[in-house]
Amino acid sequence: MLKNSFTSLSTIAQVLAESFADDPSFEQVFPQTPDRSSAIRAFFEPFVADASKRGKIIMAPNSQGVCIWYPAEVEIFDERFEQMVVEIIEIIVKIAGTETAQFWQYLIEQVGRHEPQQHHCEVFFLGLKPSARGKGIGQGLLKPVLDYADENQVPCYLVSSNARNISFYERYGFAKYCSIKITDTYSMTGM
């Protein structure tokens, strides 16, 4: 289940790209274009690289899904993260244009404003390929994070970008913490 040294960072980014291709937040940021999949993969690559150094990456069997999370002792939003955001904005400008990059930056700022101030671990991305959904794989990806939170007696936080996933997270003890308004018709949920 855990990422091994044979799983490349680009493979992990590709699994995330496939997993989030139908996510409402990515539909907002990345328009339907022929190179959309490679654009989303390029977006994920810096996140995967950061998680490989400072966080944790859990890969489902047969590359069916991925969970990127950070233990409580990691200060996620430090200078390295800020530099990564700059890099991602540059990637989005090249792939999708300045307006899309500005929207993504706005989305990130909105999410950041709702980040809990208390010490916590955080699920940054948990995604399953469409063919892997509804088979219990997500539970296997989430379990090590929840075990860590229980063992270290720290809360666990995540932002659900898709309303269909809220009931899944609630089954594992997450509760709605806040609504994060992105547009007049789209909100994310801090849990």
Side-chain angles (χ1 to χ4, degrees):
M1 191 73 129
L2 294 174
K3 175 185 116 23
N4 61 43
S5 59
F6 302 111
T7 304
S8 73
L9 299 182
S10 64
T11 297
I12 295 165
Q14 180 61 40
V15 171
L16 285 166
E18 290 176 40
S19 300
F20 281 88
D22 62 348
D23 185 89
S25 64
F26 284 84
E27 289 175 353
Q28 299 270 334
V29 175
F30 293 101
Q32 294 292 337
T33 60
D35 63 343
R36 184 171 186 268
S37 178
S38 59
I40 296 172
R41 186 186 68 244
F43 165 86
F44 275 116
E45 286 174 349
F47 285 109
V48 172
D50 183 68
S52 73
K53 295 175 187 139
R54 303 186 313 130
K56 305 285 184 183
I57 301 172
I58 306 167
M59 177 73 92
N62 302 316
S63 301
Q64 296 177 84
V66 174
C67 178
I68 289 180
W69 69 282
Y70 289 88
E73 59 270 12
V74 175
E75 182 184 339
I76 302 170
F77 303 103
D78 65 0
E79 290 177 18
R80 288 175 284 189
F81 187 87
E82 293 299 323
Q83 184 57 42
M84 182 181 63
V85 168
V86 169
E87 179 183 336
I88 292 168
I89 290 170
E90 291 171 1
I91 290 168
I92 294 173
V93 167
K94 288 178 189 172
I95 294 170
T98 303
E99 188 175 315
T100 299
Q102 289 171 340
F103 177 77
W104 183 80
Q105 186 172 7
Y106 168 78
L107 185 149
I108 287 298
E109 288 168 359
Q110 294 307 308
V111 169
R113 284 190 181 123
H114 294 85
E115 184 75 14
Q117 297 304 305
Q118 71 193 79
H119 194 66
H120 66 280
C121 66
E122 186 158 340
V123 176
F124 227 68
F125 295 108
L126 187 138
L128 297 173
K129 292 181 180 179
S131 62
R133 295 176 186 158
K135 299 179 180 177
I137 296 167
Q139 174 186 2
L141 292 172
L142 194 55
K143 186 178 182 332
V145 183
L146 298 177
D147 289 348
Y148 165 88
D150 289 344
E151 288 169 16
N152 291 278
Q153 298 181 344
V154 294
C156 190
Y157 180 72
L158 62 83
V159 174
S160 179
S161 56
N162 194 328
R164 75 171 184 236
N165 297 333
I166 291 172
S167 64
F168 166 79
Y169 293 120
E170 287 175 334
R171 282 195 302 272
Y172 296 100
F174 287 90
K176 292 178 185 175
Y177 171 72
C178 63
S179 179
I180 306 168
K181 182 179 177 184
I182 305 300
T183 69
D184 289 339
T185 59
Y186 175 65
S187 294
M188 300 168 90
T189 304
M191 303 185 78

